[in-house]
Amino acid sequence: GENVEQHPSTLSVQEGDSAVIKCTYSDSASNYFPWYKQELGKRPQLIIDIRSNVGEKKDQRIAVTLNKTAKHFSLHITETQPEDSAVYFCAASINSGYSTLTFGKGTMLLVSP
Amino acid sequence: NAGVMQNPRHLVRRRGQEARLRCSPMKGHSHVYWYRQLPEEGLKFMVYLQKENIIDESGMPKERFSAEFPKEGPSILRIQQVVRGDSAAYFCASSPGQGYQPQHFGDGTRLSIL
């Protein structure tokens, strides 16, 4: 089955810096890649997603890039703010008519003021 | 517009008891997914259901765990004869249908086994 590796496990940045989280996947059939943000004790919230027919997608300060050949995708957060502090999860899905997600183990992002 | 509703938020059981976790999908969503999250780990897929059908239960332990999504009412994840290793957060997600439809998560049920 699919395996998703996520790095780093923890990331500390200063407010205003950029943060990059990287994920690799094993199954070349995966074609949908969402990113979720989870604050302590709360639900995972979808922040951005990308399909395999697109190489990059942006939404304000957040962007995701996908390299299908290398089987990796990355989350980029610019101008980080303290409220960006949370655990971020990447996921991959083989869309065979449904979208069960295989998650990475998460990255704890800490943005210091 | 209510999101995915899960209850209870916290559940404490003694070893050997049964745990029942409930999930009501978002309005208009007919697909439900259950995930388990162990401390400091990612979410692991357990089961995918549509109304009255289990579509994929490849992530479910073979024994003691079962799930249903009846025609009326919420989806239920049932754990019989709970053991300490069942302690985890159990999240439910729903989506409107097949294909590239984002999954929206509930607040989860935190199950503690004494």
Side-chain angles (χ1 to χ4, degrees), chain B:
Chain B
N1 182 21
V4 178
M5 303 298 292
Q6 288 189 250
N7 67 81
R9 290 293 310 276
H10 301 275
L11 181 61
V12 179
R13 285 287 178 266
R14 295 188 181 278
R15 282 178 293 171
Q17 291 184 321
E18 178 180 288
R20 279 180 169 248
L21 289 61
R22 295 175 184 77
C23 169
S24 295
M26 285 179 70
K27 186 176 181 180
H29 288 194
S30 58
H31 295 234
V32 166
Y33 310 80
W34 285 93
Y35 295 86
R36 177 163 62 177
Q37 185 176 36
L38 294 171
E40 299 183 10
E41 295 228 352
L43 296 100
K44 296 226 183 281
F45 166 73
M46 299 182 73
V47 62
Y48 161 49
L49 309 103
Q50 296 178 27
K51 285 283 187 183
E52 299 184 281
N53 282 306
I54 296 174
I55 306 302
D56 181 358
E57 55 182 351
S58 59
M60 286 270 274
K62 294 287 184 252
E63 298 178 348
R64 303 189 296 109
F65 285 72
S66 62
E68 63 176 6
F69 190 13
K71 188 176 180 181
E72 302 290 338
S75 175
I76 306 286
L77 179 67
R78 182 183 178 206
I79 311 172
Q80 295 179 289
Q81 299 175 330
V82 296
V83 301
R84 288 245 170 94
D86 296 332
S87 295
Y90 291 83
F91 287 94
C92 167
S94 72
S95 68
Q98 297 179 345
Y100 297 112
Q101 300 288 348
Q103 294 181 26
H104 297 273
F105 282 80
D107 286 329
T109 293
R110 275 129 187 102
L111 175 64
S112 298
I113 308 302
L114 301 179

Side-chain angles (χ1 to χ4, degrees), chain A residues 46-58:
Chain A
L46 179 73
I47 55 172
I48 196 167
D49 57 9
I50 192 168
R51 302 178 189 178
S52 60
N53 59 348
V54 175
E56 183 175 359
K57 184 177 178 181
K58 275 188 176 180

